[in-house]
Amino acid sequence: MGVTGEQIGPARSRERFLVGEAIADGVRSPILNSWRRCRTLGLSPDQTDLPYRDDFDPDSRLVHAAGPVLDQLASRFNGSRMNVCLADGNGTVLQRRFGEPGLARSLPPIQAVPGFVFAERFAGTNGIGLALAERRLVRVYGAEHFAERSQSNACSATPIRDQLSGHIVGVLCLGYPHGYEDPALAVLVRRAAQGIERRLMEQRSARERALLRTYLEAGHLARNGAIAADGPPMGLDGIGDSGLDRSDQTILKEKATELICSPQRAAVEVTLPHGRGVTLLSTPLTSRSGVEGVVVEAVFTGEPPPEHHLAVPTHAVPTRAVPTHAGPPTGPPPPTAPGTAHGRGLVLVGEPEVGKYAIAARRRLELLAEASTRIGTTLDVTRTAWELAEMAVPHLADYVTIDVPESVLRGEESADPRSELHRAVLHGIRDDCPFYPAGERVELRAATPHMRCLDSGHAVLEPDLKQAVGWIDQEPEHARRLLAHKVHSLVSVPLLARGVLLGIATFYRSEDPAPYGDDDSRLAQELAARAALCIDNARRYTREHNLALALQQSLLPHGVPEQGAVEVAHRYLPAASGVGGDWFDVIPLSGTRVALLVGDVVGHGLHAAATMGRLRTAARNFAELELAPDELMTHLDNLLARLDREEGGDTGPGSTGIAGATCLYAVYDPITRQCTMARAGHPPPALVHPDGRVTFPELPAGPPLGLGGLPFETAEIRLPEGSTLVLYTDGLVEDRHRDIDVALDRLGRVLARSDRSPEETCRAVMDAMAPENPGDDIALLVARTRTVPADRIASWDVPADPAEVAGVRAAATRRLADWGLEELAFAVELMLSELVTNAVRYGTEPIQVRLVHDRTLICEVSDGSSTAPHLRRAASTEEGGRGLFLVAQLAHAWGTRYTAQGKVIWAECALAAA
């Protein structure tokens, strides 16, 4: 803050602003926005003249209501230099009070005489003008005033509202030297304004009491003096003796309110529950003081209600208009025909404007009640914004724009919502209004109502867009086009939830000639607050969903590994409502074999995705150990049961324990065309034969993983060459809208073609089977089988005699020459020598050697023993122990796998080495 003489407040900032420098901070946003508007309006800081009006009403309702309050304030500040000012809704000063009576004589007329207009467009930034512009309590002190004449003063000002209409009818302002600045003054001026507002309401009551006296004096409803002339003006008990319960009386009063505010005086028939008929008659009325109003009477027809009527809930009541009532009756009520009427009673007396505000208030409540059910039906940010717009049009606005940062659409918080706004929604009663369309980036200038709303975090109301200089200056040509479409008023409301600014909603009015008022602004704020909370919930959900999806995607395969056993294609589709635990995998194994795996963890969210990652990693590790499918399932089952115990799976309803998982594991050998499979509670695979026939092989079901202790079984199937194996998770065939048998039958029909590639098959299956918004994840794995040609396989049976090793080496060398792999002969001879010698020395018969020419050259030596060799480092003095070390150095990879007849030791040589 800077100080210059008597100036206080942001003096240096104001000086920089006046010479055109940018101001980053140091000035409150309402003040800075006001300065910008003043500059746009062409105001000068040294301007001293203000418009003066001598046609204001010194005896208005506002002056009468405020008089005692102003007197109390003057008495409270007696002897001080306090200046108490009352202005009307246009900024014209109506009354002044001074703590020092002589102060009025020492001040210039502009600060002492009623009639001067302090609206912002004339006087610049000041208490009265800023309270009208911001429509809320404001403080202005020192150099925050735009005019030089006010630099040494401070003030607190607040609007005065008509509590029925919500319209601003005046401003109460306390002006004082800067030394008087006290936070309690803001509370005091607000309470004083509330006192004036209450007195305005009392005047309303007095006017309606005058109408009631006129009605009684005319002889209407003079039934034993049942209603006193000074009774309450609304909701009288004139129908209290009719036998109607409270809900019926409420119905009649609501209909009477509509009659009072109707421009056409009419009679309306109302059918109450149980068929009792009531006719409401509206009659114009003028009091002695000239107050014009309407009285509504009820004429009861039909049978009286039964005794149990009081317990019947209220429901919709049909109404039917009848011919207009000709005028007020001049005598007592007409006689009632037997069985058709049961007397008359007063329902309401009031002024038409009051009735109009009552109806508007009720409609606002109905709109809010409806909004609570229609906004936030999904966890989608854009859809929730659309629901807000659809709720507001046409009940509150003719057009609605909703702008949010792009980061919010991604589920993140925005570092600067003002600089990355994206038009998410444009909705209105017509499509040809020239607003910027949805999907575009929105750039806002500082003085616009939208930017003022974002800066302050409060709603901004512009009742007359023709005078909204900041809005027009944003883009004058665009503003003129909107004005040409009769867009005349707006309310900009920030979308705030849990302290996070999520964007801005702007409501525009064009067809309704009445400009927006404070009640409209409050309604817009209430709707926006509800929508903002739903948008924030959707944003948080989107963030969590994206995190879970990113985690899951990182845990799924990013490509298909190189292998020659099958041609593979795959698809993964996450659930629409949350990330699940489905996964798939393709794992190359020794001897040209390949393992195919699909699984599904029960549940959704980060926990399911993390569990899926654990299971997939464990399955790969178990597969690397060359475990049989049933053994692999047993290990996964034990792992999941152990994880469940470690994470408290049985500790109660708050547990995050793992519920279980299903899995299908298949190993295919392209040499023998044998496929060995085991499943744990998972749907069976589909097998597409080369002729297009589709079957679902019967596999032992096995229990889901995680139950623990139950056995698994394997099934072996010899697959025809060129057949296709289709593995999938239950999300493809199970949901609550279709039977699984029907879905499997449909899947079979989709697969019944043998001329498609795996990629084409994946596409056809997903197009035909995947729901538009899947409730569960879908994993699909399609594998077309291949075989290794017989001329690329060579095998020899070897007797358990060391002398036979040389013959095996020679036969292998000849076969390598036939395959054109002479360069590998030396390495293969050394490896076969070591492996066959070990088999002869330490293994048992039968001993067999096999060479397979595939993507690599595979050397296999099998024997009938289940003992496994171990690689060790031999000491320099030892004569043996270097054989496997030598094999490991020469081979690209090597290992051991067990079979039902014994074991196989294998080694691979990369063909690139040739």
Side-chain angles (χ1 to χ4, degrees):
M1 297 297 181
V3 179
T4 306
E6 289 296 318
Q7 293 179 337
I8 63 169
R12 295 193 182 96
S13 296
R14 179 175 174 275
E15 292 170 1
R16 295 200 307 271
F17 174 82
L18 291 176
V19 297
E21 296 182 11
I23 300 175
D25 51 22
V27 181
R28 294 182 291 131
S29 59
I31 301 298
L32 183 57
N33 288 328
S34 179
W35 288 355
R36 288 168 175 159
R37 292 193 297 271
C38 293
R39 183 168 60 185
T40 303
L41 290 166
L43 299 180
S44 172
D46 56 4
Q47 181 177 340
T48 58
D49 295 331
L50 291 180
Y52 177 78
R53 298 183 56 182
D54 56 5
D55 59 347
F56 68 91
D57 185 1
D59 198 34
S60 65
R61 291 177 57 224
L62 176 61
V63 172
H64 273 285
V69 177
L70 299 181
D71 292 339
Q72 291 176 6
L73 290 174
S75 176
R76 180 187 182 100
F77 295 112
N78 185 35
S80 71
R81 297 181 61 81
M82 184 67 71
N83 180 347
V84 182
C85 175
L86 174 71
D88 64 16
N90 297 315
T92 303
V93 176
L94 305 178
Q95 290 276 299
R96 288 191 181 272
R97 300 286 193 277
F98 299 95
E100 288 183 10
L103 188 62
R105 294 188 295 271
S106 63
L107 292 174
I110 197 174
Q111 297 180 1
V113 177
F116 286 96
V117 182
F118 280 82
E120 188 183 67
R121 64 180 181 275
F122 302 121
T125 307
N126 70 94
I128 295 173
L130 191 58
L132 289 173
E134 294 290 323
R135 310 182 75 82
R136 58 191 173 97
L137 189 147
V138 297
R139 294 181 302 111
V140 185
Y141 59 96
E144 288 185 334
H145 289 88
F146 190 76
E148 298 285 355
R149 63 174 179 273
S150 303
Q151 296 296 292
S152 60
N153 298 325
C155 63
S156 295
T158 189
I160 300 170
R161 289 179 169 84
D162 184 323
Q163 293 184 352
L164 281 175
S165 66
H167 297 160
I168 293 177
V169 295
V171 176
L172 180 64
C173 180
L174 301 182
Y176 41 86
H178 63 81
Y180 280 53
E181 179 65 32
D182 189 329
L185 288 176
V187 178
L188 178 64
V189 71
R190 177 63 262 178
R191 289 178 177 174
Q194 291 171 350
I196 298 174
E197 291 170 354
R198 284 194 297 271
R199 291 180 60 82
L200 283 170
M201 281 299 296
E202 291 172 1
Q203 290 181 7
R204 288 278 192 185
S205 300
R207 292 160 65 90
E208 290 180 346
R209 280 196 294 269
L211 289 170
L212 180 60
R213 290 192 192 95
T214 302
Y215 174 77
L216 293 175
E217 290 171 0
H220 304 301
L221 202 65
R223 295 186 297 123
N224 301 321
I227 302 175
D230 58 351
M234 304 289 286
L236 299 171
D237 293 333
I239 55 175
D241 297 333
S242 60
L244 300 179
D245 65 4
R246 191 177 297 272
S247 63
D248 287 341
Q249 294 182 35
T250 300
I251 292 172
L252 292 181
K253 290 173 183 176
E254 288 181 354
K255 296 300 178 183
T257 303
E258 295 178 4
L259 271 178
I260 287 176
C261 68
S262 174
Q264 296 180 348
R265 309 299 172 208
V268 172
E269 287 186 3
V270 180
T271 303
L272 296 175
H274 298 279
R276 189 175 189 187
V278 177
T279 300
L280 296 180
L281 303 176
S282 67
T283 306
L285 198 67
T286 302
S287 71
R288 293 177 179 177
S289 60
V291 177
E292 295 184 355
V294 177
V295 60
V296 177
E297 296 175 289
V299 178
F300 299 98
T301 60
E303 295 300 324
E307 292 183 1
H308 66 276
H309 175 57
L310 297 180
V312 178
T314 304
H315 53 77
V317 181
T319 61
R320 179 169 61 88
V322 298
T324 303
H325 189 57
T330 57
T336 301
T340 60
H342 300 281
R344 299 164 71 109
L346 175 64
V347 182
L348 285 179
V349 173
E351 296 179 78
E353 285 297 305
V354 176
K356 181 181 73 173
Y357 298 141
I359 290 178
R362 189 176 77 236
R363 287 174 179 168
R364 285 192 291 269
L365 291 175
E366 292 172 350
L367 183 63
L368 290 175
E370 186 179 359
S372 64
T373 62
R374 288 183 53 186
I375 297 177
T377 59
T378 68
L379 286 172
D380 180 80
V381 173
T382 302
R383 181 59 211 159
T384 304
W386 267 103
E387 289 168 347
L388 169 60
E390 291 168 347
M391 192 71 242
V393 176
H395 305 291
L396 174 62
D398 296 314
Y399 300 96
V400 175
T401 61
I402 299 178
D403 305 322
V404 299
E406 293 184 61
S407 56
V408 172
L409 298 175
R410 299 191 300 267
E412 305 165 6
E413 291 186 13
S414 174
D416 185 6
R418 300 172 300 179
S419 63
E420 54 166 338
L421 284 176
H422 173 89
R423 176 138 298 171
V425 172
L426 167 61
H427 182 53
I429 57 176
R430 294 169 55 184
D431 296 331
D432 60 346
C433 201
F435 288 96
Y436 293 122
E440 289 194 1
R441 193 174 182 86
V442 179
E443 301 288 344
L444 298 175
R445 290 180 57 180
T448 61
H450 311 75
M451 187 59 77
R452 287 158 50 201
C453 173
L454 291 171
D455 286 339
S456 65
H458 298 287
V460 172
L461 168 62
E462 286 288 355
D464 187 359
L465 289 178
K466 293 180 180 178
Q467 299 183 18
V469 290
W471 178 75
I472 294 176
D473 290 344
Q474 166 79 6
E475 192 171 335
E477 182 58 34
H478 182 65
R480 280 192 290 270
R481 290 201 301 270
L482 289 174
L483 291 173
H485 279 73
K486 301 181 181 179
V487 176
H488 60 79
S489 183
L490 72 79
V491 178
S492 288
V493 184
L495 297 173
L496 279 168
R498 302 182 180 96
V500 178
L501 182 59
L502 303 171
I504 182 173
T506 306
F507 305 84
Y508 297 87
R509 183 168 283 177
S510 64
E511 298 299 319
D512 188 343
Y516 279 125
D518 286 318
D519 278 353
D520 300 309
S521 177
R522 282 190 287 269
L523 176 59
Q525 291 176 65
E526 183 67 26
L527 288 174
R530 299 187 184 199
L533 193 60
C534 296
I535 289 174
D536 192 49
N537 290 338
R539 178 190 67 82
R540 289 168 176 248
Y541 168 79
T542 301
R543 180 185 61 191
E544 296 298 327
H545 180 77
N546 289 342
L547 286 174
L549 188 60
L551 172 63
Q552 187 184 47
Q553 294 289 353
S554 69
L555 297 174
L556 287 171
H558 291 264
V560 178
E562 291 186 10
Q563 48 79 37
V566 290
E567 179 187 355
V568 177
H570 56 83
R571 290 290 188 278
Y572 173 77
L573 181 64
S577 59
V579 173
D582 291 18
W583 87 95
F584 64 91
D585 213 342
V586 178
I587 308 170
L589 300 177
S590 64
T592 70
R593 298 170 307 136
V594 66
L596 305 174
L597 176 69
V598 291
D600 182 5
V601 175
V602 175
H604 292 84
L606 285 172
H607 189 68
T611 303
M612 176 272 289
R614 286 171 157 180
L615 285 178
R616 177 176 175 249
T617 301
R620 290 190 69 90
N621 292 333
F622 293 147
E624 292 287 343
L625 295 176
E626 302 282 0
L627 297 179
D630 56 340
E631 294 180 21
L632 182 139
M633 289 294 185
T634 300
H635 282 287
L636 289 180
D637 181 48
N638 293 336
L639 172 65
L640 200 56
R642 184 169 65 252
L643 290 175
D644 200 12
R645 289 193 300 271
E646 292 174 355
E647 298 184 13
D650 54 353
T651 57
S655 166
T656 59
I658 302 165
T662 65
C663 186
L664 172 62
Y665 183 72
V667 177
Y668 173 68
D669 187 342
I671 296 177
T672 64
R673 302 205 309 272
Q674 200 76 14
C675 184
T676 306
M677 292 181 278
R679 64 183 178 125
H682 201 83
L687 178 60
V688 184
H689 295 260
D691 58 2
R693 183 168 50 92
V694 178
T695 60
F696 293 89
E698 290 291 336
L699 305 181
L705 300 177
L707 298 182
L710 298 176
F712 297 91
E713 300 180 55
T714 61
E716 292 189 355
I717 304 174
R718 186 176 176 85
L719 301 182
E721 184 176 352
S723 57
T724 300
L725 197 62
V726 180
L727 286 69
Y728 52 90
T729 55
D730 58 0
L732 185 70
V733 294
E734 290 185 16
D735 63 43
R736 54 188 173 185
H737 302 296
R738 56 183 173 178
D739 183 83
I740 185 171
D741 292 331
V742 175
L744 288 175
D745 184 63
R746 184 180 182 186
L747 176 61
R749 292 195 302 271
V750 174
L751 292 174
R753 283 183 56 180
S754 60
D755 58 342
R756 285 189 296 222
S757 68
E759 183 64 31
E760 292 170 339
T761 300
C762 275
R763 188 181 307 115
V765 170
M766 295 301 288
D767 290 344
M769 302 293 297
E772 183 177 352
N773 295 302
D776 194 8
D777 290 18
I778 296 174
L780 175 65
L781 186 62
V782 177
R784 173 174 287 175
T785 61
R786 296 169 175 163
T787 58
V788 178
D791 60 356
R792 290 196 167 216
I793 303 171
S795 61
W796 302 272
D797 293 326
V798 182
D801 182 358
E804 298 293 330
V805 175
V808 171
R809 290 201 303 265
T813 302
R814 289 193 297 271
R815 182 51 62 95
L816 291 177
D818 294 340
W819 290 340
L821 301 177
E822 295 89 345
E823 293 85 350
L824 295 177
F826 177 74
V828 171
E829 286 186 28
L830 284 178
M831 289 190 296
L832 288 178
S833 294
E834 294 298 332
L835 295 177
V836 174
T837 300
N838 283 343
V840 170
R841 181 176 298 178
Y842 304 110
T844 60
E845 293 186 303
I847 301 172
Q848 187 181 64
V849 174
R850 186 170 72 174
L851 297 181
V852 180
H853 181 197
D854 194 46
R855 293 180 305 106
T856 61
L857 179 67
I858 303 171
C859 305
E860 296 180 343
V861 177
S862 62
D863 67 79
S865 170
S866 59
T867 58
H870 297 283
L871 179 67
R872 65 185 180 89
R873 184 179 294 275
S876 59
T877 58
E878 294 179 337
E879 295 184 2
R882 297 180 178 82
L884 282 181
F885 177 77
L886 192 62
V887 171
Q889 298 301 309
L890 293 172
H892 173 69
W894 76 278
T896 303
R897 70 174 182 269
Y898 295 93
T899 66
Q901 295 77 29
K903 69 175 182 295
V904 176
I905 303 175
W906 56 270
E908 292 185 6
C909 291
L911 296 183

